[in-house]
Amino acid sequence: MAKHKTGIKPVLFTNVTISDSFWAPRIKTNREQTIPASYRQCRDTGRIEALKLQWKPGQEPVPHVFWDSDIAKWLEAASYSLAAHPDPELEAQVDGIIDLLEKMQQPDGYLNSHFIAVEPHKRWTNLRDSHEMYCAGHLIEAAVAHFQATGKRSLLNVLCRYADHIAKMFGTGPGQKRGYCGHEEIELALVKLYRATGEEKYLRQAQYFIDERGRQPHYFDDEARARGDDPAKYWAKTHAYTQSHIPVREQTEVTGHAVRGMYLCSAMADLAGELGDESLKAACERIWQHLTTKRMYVTAGIGSSGQNEGYTFDYDLPNETAYAETCAQIGLVFWAHRMLHLDCDSQYADVMERALYNSVISGVSLDGAKFFYENPLASTGQHHRQDWFGCACCPPNLARILASLGNYIYSEGENEAVVHLYVQSSGKLNVGGREVTLTQQTDYPWDGNVRIKVGLKQPQTFALKLRWPGWCSKASGLSVNNEQYRAEMVRGNYLRIEREWIDGDAVELRLGMEIDRVYANPKVRMNCGRVALQRGPMLYCLEGADNGVDLNALALPRDEELKARFDASLLGGVVTLLGQGIRASADGELYSFKRPTPCGVPLKAIPYCVWDNRAPGEMLVWMWEA
Amino acid sequence: MAKHKTGIKPVLFTNVTISDSFWAPRIKTNREQTIPASYRQCRDTGRIEALKLQWKPGQEPVPHVFWDSDIAKWLEAASYSLAAHPDPELEAQVDGIIDLLEKMQQPDGYLNSHFIAVEPHKRWTNLRDSHEMYCAGHLIEAAVAHFQATGKRSLLNVLCRYADHIAKMFGTGPGQKRGYCGHEEIELALVKLYRATGEEKYLRQAQYFIDERGRQPHYFDDEARARGDDPAKYWAKTHAYTQSHIPVREQTEVTGHAVRGMYLCSAMADLAGELGDESLKAACERIWQHLTTKRMYVTAGIGSSGQNEGYTFDYDLPNETAYAETCAQIGLVFWAHRMLHLDCDSQYADVMERALYNSVISGVSLDGAKFFYENPLASTGQHHRQDWFGCACCPPNLARILASLGNYIYSEGENEAVVHLYVQSSGKLNVGGREVTLTQQTDYPWDGNVRIKVGLKQPQTFALKLRWPGWCSKASGLSVNNEQYRAEMVRGNYLRIEREWIDGDAVELRLGMEIDRVYANPKVRMNCGRVALQRGPMLYCLEGADNGVDLNALALPRDEELKARFDASLLGGVVTLLGQGIRASADGELYSFKRPTPCGVPLKAIPYCVWDNRAPGEMLVWMWEA
């Protein structure tokens, strides 16, 4: 196996302690509120009961084909949480579910509550629509997480048996079906399973799924005919919906269902790294370019349409009807993080950061109890977070990414230590076999000053690489041990400081954090003449609670200088942006030959990610610039 | 019966000859292309065949519940056309269909091709959804038109028998059902039947339908229960969809399906006039105010959403997804025309004119062969007129309004002659029992100068009333026989010239026709910072064919003075608006902290109603103002 070309790998969240004022409270809320609430929802909606296989025809609710994936993502989140915070009650809940899964497993290794209890005759007959391997993939991720968190092999053994069953069923060998899943997920999960067990067969199985995808004759069509269905009557109309319209290496654009595409690309990036597969890497890079230069919201939301939970056409980024599913952005973080480890290029970290601070964390309320499935960039007040969803992918997906957020901050290599995200935290890195502790002290994302203390047992020469954020174009500075330092800016926009480090060395990075006006390319037709506000990694929005009704009637004058002010009492403590706007009077008729009279009004913007945490009302990211 | 309060009534199109360059060619195209094409469509899609009642179970196509209405509207259009232009072939087609209808009629008078041939046991069991009386209403309108055009009673007799059957079935008497139709139409048709036959029972039946609508216990709920359906599971969720959530006199807002609402209001206005019913008139006025001040597009398009083919909430007027069904605007013209005859107030004629010149006539291509169902105010190029529709209400609706367009220009009274629309035409009016000919010479809508010649057998004293258009705020003038005249502006914004008229007298009205910028109330959130262009009654738009791609990247500077230029070779001859716009460069990234670079570009706007008559492309009504 080839190594990661960059020679760096992520520092696991178990070696990272986050202590900031932004993420730490959210991780605590996730542990104390979201994870228990998700368990209750899984229990109360029958998802846990379904694992007992006692469903009888006519009984409601009918276990759904993707219920196992909700259980799996909860198990994964709970495992991450247990790794950082032992909790006997939570561990008992986890063990209880694992026990049900063990008992559920069929002699041949098969494991799916719907297809065992409800439609046993339909097992593996509709990979296109039935989410069987998708559920398997999430269970594998859960098993790996549980093994790494607790050292227990209970769930891992169950899922190795299931993975072996799947590997026996699907492949190019004699008697095997040449299938793959309509909802990608198992591919990246099998790479994780390979890494956790060292069993190369799982990597090869992931490779098979990636290589087979989109080949002709098309498996989903053959499979439909075998079921007696007409492939031409496929409800989604195109295999681009599942990114299987052509082989993955030939793909150049994001297509179809956004979450599926992100999970696929994550696996492609994994395999590109593990196998040194340049053609997979090149495909990833093409698709990445397309996504980030033509189809991504300024919040890093992706997948603009609810119709296909995915993409429409280039630059079609409607604000009010934006789908931008929370899970899609989480998938984008997964993919960006993997790309970052193929090429230590800050463009990947920039998008990862943009998603995390904006359209991922907007998915959950400050109290951890309510969730957005869609993350629009404008609202007339019709959008509100909900307790749970029939299709409940987002809440446990948020739970697992928050519980493992430490994963995304640091990377370690033979001769280098890399900081991707500035978060007050402490990371224990393994640099050339020795432990290096990096301790960040910062008020990020509210302030751009970051002090990084290097902890070492003995002096060591290595390169400390610090990401230069894409948002930062303003006067900034770097010092080492209080002396100005001219660091080399290496390819990929990382500052590189190579020296012999001594315990207690301190690096200070001062990122000029100003209020920037963001303009969309005029091809984004809905944002012409409009402006968004950004400060550091945070996108801002206007909310009715601060600015009254008819937010579109508010314009930001071109020359207005907004001020940033930290408000400790607002929404958990946020920097607000204050200034004078112009409000067009709504007193007139519906249509008039007279331009509506403008008058000055105070204007207050809050970070996008905390909107809809007060009384329901309007919200607007792209405001009119006058 | 009370007379129309205003004492005026419309001059029938049969007494009006239109000879202008705007409508006359369209009426000719309607006669030569649209009416024959609609006949072929009715024939080729099986709609005419369905009248033979030979459908057998399993046969495709299944005659649809509202197919008869398409036939009816075609008959009505063809009859109007015959009245103005005898055409033996067309008359033979009309008589052929009437023959089929006569044969189709059941002994009890019942007449509906679907419910006779396909579901005879379901007759009158689902007034809410089945369009039975809607079809009856259109057939009645056709019968009246046919009778008036040809003097033949063949179809009229059939429809009188059907109307009698309906009157026997529905009413408050013993043994009668207290029902009314889910899709209003029969109410206004019965008023027409009353006027054509003099039979007051038809007026009373219309009155019954209007009075009964929306009462509790709700007929549609009772009827659903009688069918074994749960009324709570009504697919449209609310009786506001059919304007039957409350009695009509209690209604204050437009609700639900836009076409239905317009046909209902038209009947309410008819009855208000016929019966002198002030409470009905007051309800009409309230609903009118709501529609025209909160829910109408600048093109007079109404019903913003495709979801319910109707309304959403106040000021919710999205441009690209605007539904604004052609039929809804035609219904609005019907209603406005009736309101105008209750109160000779130009606000009604203004809306009527706005609809006719913009979002009604946009429904048909210049060649008369393609139709818009939806009339959006912006397009990325995804909207194109089509040959026909499965639900084909719009094409024959356009055919009938164009064939009878003369109806909307003049009104006549005991002592007055009224001009509502300025169209080069000649109208024969009956003023106090004597024939008065008004002959308009004008280049309207391209020019605001109108010369009206009065033709008389002998001198006669009466008031000539000329509408002062709402769009006209600029310096204008009026002269009689070449001498300046200071006319009284009477209530409702009509210039009143009372004098003894002599044959050959000439009035000249000079309406200053300038290019106006239109601004929407800032509560219309999608149009903030944007501007539309209007000249006379015509709304303008940018099209890709003239202005290239990315129309939203084009801005109109505040101080740009646009020029109007008539282009005889363009789109049948139109006034274009020319000037310099600013185009924001699309060369940059997807998002940038730098405002896109602007550069000057020529800008050309065409009348909205003629868009999509060249190569497919973008279109935009509300452009950004810089």
Side-chain angles (χ1 to χ4, degrees):
Chain A
M1 296 292 128
K3 280 197 70 163
H4 292 304
K5 274 181 35 169
T6 48
I8 57 166
K9 57 179 194 169
V11 176
L12 275 186
F13 75 96
T14 42
N15 288 321
V16 177
T17 307
I18 295 175
S19 56
D20 73 337
S21 67
F22 187 88
W23 292 109
R26 285 170 166 83
I27 293 167
K28 182 164 182 278
T29 299
N30 186 53
R31 187 173 67 242
E32 293 176 352
Q33 302 298 333
T34 309
I35 293 177
S38 296
Y39 180 83
R40 287 192 299 272
Q41 289 284 1
C42 282
R43 186 190 63 201
D44 298 348
T45 57
R47 281 164 167 80
I48 296 178
E49 193 65 21
L51 303 179
K52 297 179 185 164
L53 306 178
Q54 290 169 344
W55 180 84
K56 296 278 169 296
Q59 202 173 305
E60 289 287 342
V62 183
H64 196 279
V65 292
F66 47 62
W67 272 10
D68 289 357
S69 70
D70 299 330
I71 295 284
K73 274 186 282 188
W74 180 83
L75 276 178
E76 189 184 342
S79 298
Y80 293 148
S81 185
L82 286 176
H85 274 260
D87 175 341
E89 192 190 334
L90 182 62
E91 191 160 359
Q93 289 171 343
V94 167
D95 288 341
I97 290 181
I98 292 174
D99 189 48
L100 290 174
L101 288 167
E102 271 182 321
K103 288 182 181 141
M104 192 174 107
Q105 190 161 41
Q106 302 293 291
D108 62 0
Y110 188 81
L111 186 75
N112 181 300
S113 63
H114 176 88
F115 285 99
I116 296 172
V118 184
E119 300 189 293
H121 55 293
K122 293 197 177 167
R123 211 180 277 184
W124 303 130
T125 59
N126 186 353
L127 301 189
R128 190 188 70 190
D129 303 324
S130 290
H131 295 74
E132 267 165 299
M133 286 196 234
Y134 167 77
C135 288
H138 275 306
L139 283 167
I140 291 170
E141 285 201 88
V144 171
H146 182 248
F147 169 60
Q148 287 171 338
T150 64
K152 295 190 209 172
R153 299 192 72 98
S154 52
L155 189 56
L156 192 68
N157 289 339
V158 170
L159 269 300
C160 283
R161 285 197 293 272
Y162 192 19
D164 293 341
H165 168 79
I166 289 169
K168 204 172 131 193
M169 295 292 297
F170 299 98
T172 57
Q176 286 184 300
K177 296 185 181 208
R178 295 188 64 153
Y180 45 85
C181 192
H183 196 316
E184 302 91 325
E185 157 62 24
I186 195 167
E187 301 83 356
L188 73 85
L190 286 167
V191 177
K192 281 192 177 182
L193 190 59
Y194 152 68
R195 288 177 186 156
T197 62
E199 294 273 12
E200 203 181 307
K201 62 183 178 184
Y202 298 129
L203 186 68
R204 294 298 167 197
Q205 189 63 26
Q207 191 184 3
Y208 156 74
F209 284 133
I210 293 293
D211 288 348
E212 192 62 30
R213 192 168 206 90
R215 293 212 182 182
Q216 291 295 343
H218 205 288
Y219 183 79
F220 295 161
D221 291 346
D222 289 346
E223 177 196 62
R225 279 185 285 266
R227 288 194 308 269
D229 290 349
D230 179 358
K233 292 190 175 156
Y234 177 31
W235 64 271
K237 294 197 180 79
T238 163
H239 291 311
Y241 176 72
T242 58
Q243 299 82 36
S244 67
H245 50 309
I246 46 173
V248 300
R249 285 176 182 76
E250 295 170 26
Q251 297 188 22
T252 56
E253 302 201 338
V254 284
T255 66
H257 189 276
V259 179
R260 297 176 198 229
M262 291 301 101
Y263 289 0
L264 169 63
C265 288
S266 295
M268 286 165 66
D270 274 340
L271 287 168
E274 293 291 349
L275 305 171
D277 186 327
E278 286 299 322
S279 65
L280 270 182
K281 180 164 179 269
C284 281
E285 285 165 351
R286 283 193 305 269
I287 299 170
W288 177 273
Q289 278 306 308
H290 179 248
L291 172 63
T292 56
T293 64
K294 296 194 169 103
R295 298 205 178 170
M296 188 179 75
Y297 284 98
V298 72
T299 56
I302 58 172
S304 57
S305 169
Q307 200 101 37
N308 61 347
E309 301 195 302
Y311 308 99
T312 53
F313 53 91
D314 288 350
Y315 304 105
D316 185 41
L317 297 165
N319 293 306
E320 202 174 293
T321 59
Y323 200 66
E325 183 184 338
T326 304
C327 287
Q329 285 91 251
I330 291 173
L332 177 57
V333 170
F334 293 159
W335 183 27
H337 192 227
R338 284 160 170 83
M339 294 303 285
L340 188 56
H341 288 85
L342 294 184
D343 274 329
C344 188
D345 189 323
S346 68
Q347 68 169 311
Y348 302 116
D350 282 346
V351 168
M352 185 173 85
E353 181 182 76
R354 189 181 285 265
L356 283 171
Y357 280 100
N358 297 287
S359 56
V360 167
I361 199 61
S362 62
V364 56
S365 60
L366 285 171
D367 65 7
K370 290 185 180 292
F371 308 93
F372 271 136
Y373 202 106
E374 302 166 40
N375 293 276
L377 282 80
S379 180
T380 58
Q382 75 270 49
H383 302 91
H384 300 294
R385 292 188 189 83
Q386 295 173 35
D387 293 339
W388 193 248
F389 307 93
C391 173
C393 48
C394 300
N397 224 348
L398 278 159
R400 68 174 178 147
I401 199 169
L402 276 168
S404 58
L405 193 86
N407 279 341
Y408 302 93
I409 303 175
Y410 303 101
S411 290
E412 60 196 13
E414 268 304 303
N415 297 301
E416 55 189 5
V418 191
V419 183
H420 303 295
L421 299 182
Y422 301 107
V423 176
Q424 179 160 299
S425 63
S426 171
K428 257 189 285 182
L429 285 71
N430 175 341
V431 178
R434 295 203 218 151
E435 185 178 303
V436 174
T437 305
L438 297 181
T439 304
Q440 293 188 56
Q441 207 180 339
T442 178
D443 274 331
Y444 203 92
W446 312 124
D447 184 85
N449 290 346
V450 185
R451 186 181 164 82
I452 302 171
K453 230 179 75 186
V454 181
L456 292 166
K457 298 248 163 67
Q458 59 198 89
Q460 188 178 346
T461 300
F462 63 90
L464 178 65
K465 283 174 70 178
L466 306 178
R467 167 176 155 257
W468 187 265
W471 54 259
C472 184
S473 52
K474 302 298 167 5
S476 302
L478 179 71
S479 64
V480 176
N481 296 334
N482 295 320
E483 276 178 36
Q484 201 175 329
Y485 188 95
R486 286 185 68 91
E488 180 193 6
M489 181 76 90
V490 294
R491 211 181 66 84
N493 276 325
Y494 279 73
L495 294 171
R496 188 170 187 277
I497 312 170
E498 184 162 20
R499 65 196 298 270
E500 183 180 64
W501 297 95
I502 302 169
D503 185 54
D505 277 354
V507 175
E508 265 196 68
L509 178 66
R510 289 175 300 282
L511 301 167
M513 195 176 270
E514 304 193 15
I515 301 166
D516 282 300
R517 294 188 179 210
V518 188
Y519 299 90
N521 187 296
K523 286 186 171 293
V524 184
R525 64 197 187 284
M526 37 294 282
N527 295 343
C528 288
R530 291 182 180 261
V531 64
L533 298 172
Q534 183 172 352
R535 184 173 176 278
M538 310 301 281
L539 266 293
Y540 278 74
C541 70
L542 302 177
E543 250 201 327
D546 303 304
N547 300 286
V549 296
D550 301 332
L551 294 180
N552 278 285
L554 259 174
L556 180 65
R558 288 190 173 211
D559 55 3
E560 174 65 13
E561 294 212 11
L562 295 163
K563 305 255 176 306
R565 198 178 70 191
F566 184 75
D567 186 340
S569 66
L570 186 68
L571 298 163
V574 293
V575 166
T576 59
L577 307 184
L578 303 171
Q580 281 288 308
I582 294 173
R583 181 177 271 282
S585 165
D587 288 344
E589 294 175 77
L590 183 54
Y591 302 109
S592 164
F593 292 154
K594 224 179 123 257
R595 190 176 292 121
T597 315
C599 71
V601 288
L603 181 152
K604 177 176 179 175
I606 60 160
Y608 169 77
C609 66
V610 293
W611 85 278
D612 195 37
N613 274 291
R614 292 176 290 178
E618 292 181 43
M619 183 276 290
L620 188 67
V621 169
W622 291 98
M623 70 190 85
W624 175 36
E625 192 179 44
Chain B
M1 295 295 128
K3 280 194 68 161
H4 293 302
K5 275 182 37 170
T6 49
I8 59 167
K9 57 178 191 169
V11 177
L12 275 185
F13 73 97
T14 42
N15 289 322
V16 177
T17 307
I18 295 176
S19 57
D20 72 337
S21 66
F22 187 89
W23 292 109
R26 283 170 168 81
I27 292 166
K28 183 165 181 277
T29 300
N30 185 53
R31 187 173 67 244
E32 294 176 353
Q33 302 298 332
T34 309
I35 292 176
S38 295
Y39 181 81
R40 287 192 299 272
Q41 288 284 1
C42 282
R43 187 191 61 199
D44 298 348
T45 57
R47 280 164 167 80
I48 295 178
E49 193 66 22
L51 303 180
K52 298 180 185 163
L53 306 178
Q54 290 168 344
W55 180 85
K56 295 282 171 292
Q59 203 174 303
E60 289 287 341
V62 182
H64 196 278
V65 293
F66 46 63
W67 273 9
D68 288 358
S69 70
D70 298 330
I71 295 283
K73 274 186 282 188
W74 180 83
L75 277 177
E76 187 182 344
S79 299
Y80 293 148
S81 186
L82 286 175
H85 274 259
D87 175 340
E89 191 191 334
L90 182 61
E91 191 160 0
Q93 289 171 344
V94 167
D95 287 342
I97 290 181
I98 292 173
D99 190 48
L100 290 175
L101 288 167
E102 272 181 321
K103 288 182 181 141
M104 191 172 106
Q105 189 161 43
Q106 303 293 292
D108 62 359
Y110 188 80
L111 187 76
N112 182 299
S113 62
H114 175 89
F115 285 100
I116 296 172
V118 183
E119 301 189 294
H121 56 293
K122 293 198 177 167
R123 210 180 278 183
W124 303 132
T125 59
N126 186 354
L127 301 189
R128 190 187 70 191
D129 304 323
S130 290
H131 295 75
E132 266 166 300
M133 288 196 231
Y134 167 78
C135 288
H138 275 304
L139 284 166
I140 291 168
E141 285 200 88
V144 171
H146 182 247
F147 169 62
Q148 287 171 340
T150 64
K152 296 190 210 171
R153 299 192 72 98
S154 51
L155 189 56
L156 193 67
N157 289 339
V158 171
L159 269 299
C160 282
R161 285 197 293 273
Y162 192 19
D164 293 341
H165 168 81
I166 290 169
K168 206 173 129 195
M169 294 292 296
F170 300 98
T172 56
Q176 287 184 300
K177 296 185 182 210
R178 296 189 64 153
Y180 46 87
C181 192
H183 195 316
E184 302 91 324
E185 155 64 24
I186 196 166
E187 301 82 357
L188 72 86
L190 286 166
V191 177
K192 282 193 176 181
L193 190 60
Y194 151 70
R195 290 178 185 154
T197 62
E199 294 274 12
E200 201 181 308
K201 61 182 176 183
Y202 298 129
L203 186 68
R204 292 298 168 200
Q205 189 64 25
Q207 190 184 7
Y208 155 75
F209 284 133
I210 293 293
D211 288 347
E212 192 61 31
R213 192 168 205 87
R215 292 214 182 180
Q216 292 295 344
H218 205 286
Y219 183 78
F220 294 160
D221 291 346
D222 288 348
E223 177 195 62
R225 277 185 287 267
R227 288 193 308 270
D229 290 349
D230 179 358
K233 292 188 177 159
Y234 177 30
W235 64 272
K237 294 197 180 79
T238 163
H239 291 311
Y241 176 73
T242 58
Q243 299 81 37
S244 67
H245 51 308
I246 47 173
V248 301
R249 285 174 181 77
E250 295 169 26
Q251 296 187 22
T252 56
E253 302 201 340
V254 285
T255 66
H257 189 275
V259 178
R260 297 176 197 229
M262 292 301 99
Y263 289 0
L264 169 64
C265 286
S266 295
M268 286 165 65
D270 275 339
L271 288 168
E274 293 291 350
L275 305 170
D277 185 327
E278 287 299 324
S279 63
L280 270 182
K281 180 164 179 273
C284 281
E285 287 166 349
R286 282 193 306 270
I287 298 170
W288 177 273
Q289 278 306 307
H290 179 247
L291 173 62
T292 56
T293 64
K294 296 196 168 103
R295 298 205 178 170
M296 189 179 75
Y297 285 97
V298 72
T299 56
I302 59 173
S304 57
S305 170
Q307 200 102 38
N308 61 347
E309 302 195 302
Y311 309 99
T312 53
F313 53 93
D314 288 351
Y315 305 105
D316 185 42
L317 297 165
N319 294 305
E320 201 174 293
T321 60
Y323 201 65
E325 183 183 338
T326 303
C327 288
Q329 283 92 250
I330 291 174
L332 176 58
V333 170
F334 293 159
W335 183 26
H337 192 227
R338 285 159 169 85
M339 294 303 286
L340 189 57
H341 288 85
L342 293 184
D343 273 330
C344 189
D345 189 322
S346 68
Q347 68 170 311
Y348 302 116
D350 283 345
V351 168
M352 185 173 85
E353 181 181 75
R354 187 180 286 265
L356 283 171
Y357 280 99
N358 297 287
S359 55
V360 167
I361 200 60
S362 62
V364 58
S365 60
L366 285 170
D367 66 6
K370 290 185 181 292
F371 308 92
F372 270 137
Y373 203 107
E374 302 166 40
N375 293 277
L377 282 81
S379 180
T380 59
Q382 74 271 50
H383 302 92
H384 301 293
R385 292 187 188 83
Q386 295 174 36
D387 294 337
W388 194 249
F389 307 93
C391 173
C393 46
C394 300
N397 225 348
L398 276 159
R400 66 174 180 148
I401 200 169
L402 275 168
S404 57
L405 194 86
N407 279 341
Y408 303 93
I409 301 174
Y410 304 101
S411 291
E412 59 196 16
E414 269 304 303
N415 297 301
E416 54 190 5
V418 191
V419 183
H420 302 297
L421 298 184
Y422 301 108
V423 176
Q424 181 161 297
S425 62
S426 171
K428 259 190 284 184
L429 286 70
N430 175 341
V431 178
R434 297 205 216 147
E435 184 177 301
V436 173
T437 304
L438 297 181
T439 305
Q440 293 189 55
Q441 206 181 340
T442 177
D443 275 329
Y444 203 90
W446 312 124
D447 184 85
N449 289 346
V450 185
R451 187 180 164 85
I452 301 171
K453 231 178 74 184
V454 181
L456 292 166
K457 299 248 163 66
Q458 59 197 87
Q460 186 178 346
T461 300
F462 63 90
L464 177 65
K465 284 173 69 177
L466 307 177
R467 165 175 156 259
W468 188 265
W471 55 258
C472 185
S473 51
K474 303 299 168 1
S476 303
L478 179 71
S479 66
V480 176
N481 296 333
N482 296 321
E483 276 179 36
Q484 202 176 327
Y485 188 94
R486 285 186 66 92
E488 178 192 9
M489 180 76 88
V490 295
R491 210 182 67 85
N493 277 325
Y494 278 74
L495 293 171
R496 189 169 186 277
I497 312 170
E498 184 160 21
R499 66 198 297 272
E500 184 180 63
W501 296 94
I502 302 169
D503 185 52
D505 277 353
V507 176
E508 265 194 69
L509 179 64
R510 289 176 300 283
L511 300 167
M513 194 176 272
E514 305 193 14
I515 300 166
D516 282 301
R517 295 189 180 209
V518 188
Y519 299 89
N521 187 297
K523 286 187 171 295
V524 185
R525 64 195 188 284
M526 37 293 283
N527 295 342
C528 288
R530 291 181 180 263
V531 63
L533 297 172
Q534 183 171 353
R535 184 174 176 277
M538 311 299 280
L539 264 293
Y540 278 74
C541 70
L542 302 178
E543 247 199 331
D546 303 305
N547 300 284
V549 296
D550 301 333
L551 294 179
N552 278 284
L554 262 174
L556 180 65
R558 287 191 173 210
D559 54 3
E560 174 65 14
E561 293 212 10
L562 295 164
K563 307 254 175 306
R565 197 178 71 189
F566 184 73
D567 186 341
S569 66
L570 186 68
L571 298 164
V574 293
V575 166
T576 59
L577 307 184
L578 304 170
Q580 281 287 309
I582 293 173
R583 182 177 269 282
S585 165
D587 288 343
E589 295 176 75
L590 182 55
Y591 301 109
S592 165
F593 291 156
K594 223 178 125 256
R595 192 177 289 120
T597 316
C599 70
V601 287
L603 180 152
K604 176 175 180 174
I606 60 162
Y608 169 76
C609 65
V610 292
W611 86 277
D612 194 36
N613 275 291
R614 293 175 290 177
E618 293 181 41
M619 183 275 289
L620 188 67
V621 169
W622 291 99
M623 71 190 85
W624 174 37
E625 192 179 45

